[in-house]
């Protein structure tokens, strides 16, 4: 290292440099907030400074952030959170009695009756009891144990914690984790960070992004040559692909996991976001228990849910939980130790989660408004899912599967060879080049399909269906115009 003298004192360069930092961190990529989003933020700044652009605002359709896209918070959730944050409001008659009662119950479970106090590491006990009751009700009476529930900082935190427990071994014996391609990049990022081996299995785009056990088996057998596959991750409803798995498919996956001795991770954060006719959400846990004790007493599984999606869209509160099934009691003790190092998930997020799993009941004053708001949000999303699919499929060179659930569409785009060459010339992946051009010319921020993974030679982008209907129509029209212009330019 160069010994440069600063004020006569020899300097030896930085202690921490890109060359000597943790190499796993450098391997992490997270496209949802990647270079394209950084450029979008820059453009927003330029617009504020008066730089002339062919558009007046940047529309960020890159991330599933409902409130940022204009979705209104659910009144009841915010009333109770306000009461929890500032209990003096209990005196205010603007707040309904059921909201006050909920807030009081949450505050009574907090140290010093304050949501500013730490909670138990696994989460507030009465919240975990409510989560267990919610799961039991959702799954038609299959029992759920509050001790198997771990509250978390959004579902992401629980997913990473679970992966951390599962990763071990060196070389050929290193843990392999099966993830769907396209995938939500949290998974590939976490695996890179933990130095685990990513095993990619491909969803079938021609069959509405369905999952096929033959493809799981192909991926597993190929991976066994170089790692030790131990985990199978499933996202249902799908992100970025929006498919909803059939009950039969879930059964097949569970059988596969048992046969191949794999730990199942079921990411179910979009469980209320199901729109398509004939589609229904089935939880992995419910199907597992309906398959009988041969499966329900042996298959090890963790399932995840969050306050960030569905009708709530409360991403900023970072509330979530996981439920673990058939976990070795000694491992459970290690898990409790691991979560206790981080002290506890954010208590306002735990309070919010409690309201999601225990919403107003028909005999309570807030019920009517709550149900009206909830239904309106989900109905609007269903309408936008249909609209998006229909409009994209009128554009030559764009094909879009039905958005059966979740809050994204992942259309396939056909790019002319000249555009592909031009992108390579500029050192960019073709769909990244396409999305960058769309951002610069139309002010629309999407994530290129390459950030989620896709079959070699195919190109996609992910777009959220969250913008308000009128704005969404504008976005779809702009993408349509851009696509035709782009194709023309390179034809």
């Amino acid at each position: 290292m160069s010994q440069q003298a600063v004020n006569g004192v020899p300097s030896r360069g930085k202690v921490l440099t890109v060359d000597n930092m943790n190499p796993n961190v450098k391997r992490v990529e997270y496209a949802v907030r990647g270079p394209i989003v950084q450029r979008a933020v820059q453009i927003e700044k330029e617009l504020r400074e008066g730089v002339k652009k062919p558009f007046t605002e940047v529309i960020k359709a890159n991330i599933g952030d409902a409130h940022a896209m204009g979705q209104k918070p659910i009144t009841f959730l915010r009333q109770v959170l306000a009461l929890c944050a500032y209990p003096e409001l209990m005196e205010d008659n603007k707040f309904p009695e059921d909201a006050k009662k909920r807030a009081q119950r949450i505050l009574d479970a907090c140290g010093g009756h304050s949501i500013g106090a730490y909670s138990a590491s696994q989460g507030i006990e009465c919240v975990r009891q409510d989560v267990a009751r919610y799961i039991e009700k959702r799954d038609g009476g299959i029992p759920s144990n509050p001790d198997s529930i771990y509250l978390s900082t959004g579902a992401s935190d629980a997913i990473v914690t679970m992966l951390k427990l599962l990763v071990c071994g060196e070389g050929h014996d290193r843990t392999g984790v099966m993830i769907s391609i396209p995938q939500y990049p949290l998974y590939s990022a976490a695996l890179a960070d933990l130095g685990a081996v990513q095993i990619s299995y491909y969803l079938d785009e021609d069959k509405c992004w369905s999952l096929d056990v033959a493809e799981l088996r192909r991926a597993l057998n190929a991976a066994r040559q170089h790692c030790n596959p131990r985990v199978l991750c499933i996202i249902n409803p799908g992100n970025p692909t929006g498919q909803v798995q059939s009950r039969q498919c879930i059964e097949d996956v569970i059988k596969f996991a048992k046969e191949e001795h794999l730990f199942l991770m079921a990411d179910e954060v979009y469980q209320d976001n199901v729109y398509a006719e004939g589609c229904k959400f089935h939880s992995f846990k419910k199907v597992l228990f309906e398959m009988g004790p041969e499966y329900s007493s042996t298959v090890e599984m963790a399932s995840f849910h969050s306050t960030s999606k569905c009708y709530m869209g409360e991403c900023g509160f970072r509330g979530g939980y996981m439920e673990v099934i058939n976990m070795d009691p000694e491992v459970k003790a290690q898990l409790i130790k691991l979560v206790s190092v981080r002290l506890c998930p954010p208590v306002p997020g735990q309070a919010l989660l409690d309201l999601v799993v225990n919403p107003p009941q028909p005999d309570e004053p807030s019920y009517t408004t709550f149900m009206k708001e909830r239904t309106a949000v989900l109905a609007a999303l269903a309408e936008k899912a249909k609209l998006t699919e229909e409009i994209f499929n009128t554009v030559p060179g764009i094909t879009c599967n039905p958005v059966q659930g979740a809050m994204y569409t992942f259309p396939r785009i056909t790019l002319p060879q000249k555009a592909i060459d031009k992108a390579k010339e500029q050192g960019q992946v073709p769909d990244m080049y396409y999305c960058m051009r769309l951002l610069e010319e139309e002010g629309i921020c999407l994530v290129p399909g390459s950030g989620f993974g896709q079959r070699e030679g195919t190109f996609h982008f992910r777009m959220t269906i969250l913008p308000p209907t009128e704005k969404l129509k504008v976005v779809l029209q702009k993408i349509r115009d851009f696509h035709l212009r782009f194709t023309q330019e390179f034809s």
Side-chain angles (χ1 to χ4, degrees), residues 61-257:
N62 62 298
I63 196 163
D65 188 346
H67 293 190
M69 291 267 96
Q71 185 178 306
K72 292 273 171 286
I74 302 289
T75 307
F76 180 74
L77 303 184
R78 289 301 182 88
Q79 284 175 330
V80 179
L81 287 168
L83 291 160
C84 286
Y86 191 61
E88 279 77 355
L89 292 172
M90 297 276 193
E91 310 304 315
D92 190 328
N93 54 20
K94 282 202 220 39
F95 288 83
E97 281 312 307
D98 53 347
K100 290 180 182 175
K101 217 166 87 190
R102 288 305 151 89
Q104 197 53 60
R105 180 169 175 261
I106 292 166
L107 290 169
D108 288 347
C110 293
H113 301 282
S114 166
I115 59 166
Y118 286 132
S119 77
S121 301
Q122 203 173 335
I124 297 170
E125 190 173 0
C126 74
V127 179
R128 286 188 289 116
Q129 287 164 349
D130 287 348
V131 170
R133 272 193 289 272
Y134 162 84
I135 293 171
E136 267 175 34
K137 192 174 165 201
R138 179 198 70 187
D139 292 345
I142 293 161
S144 173
N145 178 356
D147 289 337
S148 298
I149 287 162
Y150 296 77
L151 306 190
S152 59
T153 308
S156 307
D157 172 47
I159 290 166
V160 172
T161 298
M162 205 57 240
L163 288 170
K164 200 175 265 183
L165 286 182
L166 283 154
V167 172
C168 77
E170 292 305 325
H172 278 294
D173 202 35
R174 191 69 176 155
T175 296
V177 178
M178 303 183 71
I179 63 174
S180 60
I181 298 293
Q183 52 111 20
Y184 173 51
L186 162 72
Y187 289 89
S188 52
L191 297 179
D193 185 17
L194 295 166
V197 179
Q198 175 179 324
I199 304 170
S200 303
Y201 64 88
Y202 289 87
L203 301 174
D204 187 345
E205 184 167 13
D206 297 334
K207 293 188 180 154
C208 206
W209 297 114
S210 66
L211 190 163
D212 176 27
V213 170
E215 168 58 16
L216 287 180
R217 191 152 273 127
R218 178 207 64 76
L220 183 80
N221 291 336
R224 284 216 162 112
Q225 315 302 314
H226 59 90
C227 70
N228 176 16
R230 301 177 63 203
V231 192
L232 171 56
C233 299
I234 308 280
I235 309 175
N236 178 49
N239 170 11
T241 41
Q243 81 289 11
V244 178
Q245 287 182 2
S246 68
R247 196 185 180 294
Q248 185 55 54
C249 174
I250 294 172
E251 231 175 87
D252 295 343
V253 169
I254 291 171
K255 284 180 183 153
F256 174 80

Side-chain angles (χ1 to χ4, degrees), residues 33 68 194 236 249 252 260 295 311 331 340 368 379 381 385 401 410 437 451 468:
R33 293 192 173 204
L194 295 166
N236 178 49
C249 174
D252 295 343
E260 301 296 347
Y295 294 95
Y311 62 91
V331 175
S340 68
T368 315
L381 284 169
N401 269 322
F410 197 69
R437 286 276 306 263

Side-chain angles (χ1 to χ4, degrees), residues 41-52:
V41 171
Q42 249 177 335
I43 291 175
E44 283 183 317
K45 198 167 166 231
E46 289 169 18
L47 284 170
R48 281 197 299 275
E49 289 162 359
V51 179
K52 284 280 165 279

Side-chain angles (χ1 to χ4, degrees), residues 14-15 32 76 78 91 104 111 143 148 161 169 185 301 306 346 378 393 432 461:
K14 298 277 189 202
V15 173
V32 174
F76 180 74
R78 289 301 182 88
E91 310 304 315
Q104 197 53 60
S148 298
T161 298
M301 184 176 95
S306 147
L378 294 174
N393 282 327
M432 172 62 104
F461 58 74

Side-chain angles (χ1 to χ4, degrees), residues 9-37:
V9 181
S11 146
R12 295 189 299 176
K14 298 277 189 202
V15 173
L16 177 62
T17 69
V18 161
D19 296 327
N20 67 18
M21 69 176 282
N22 180 336
N24 287 346
V25 173
K26 289 194 281 190
R27 283 198 285 273
V28 170
E29 285 180 15
Y30 186 66
V32 174
R33 293 192 173 204
I36 213 143
V37 186

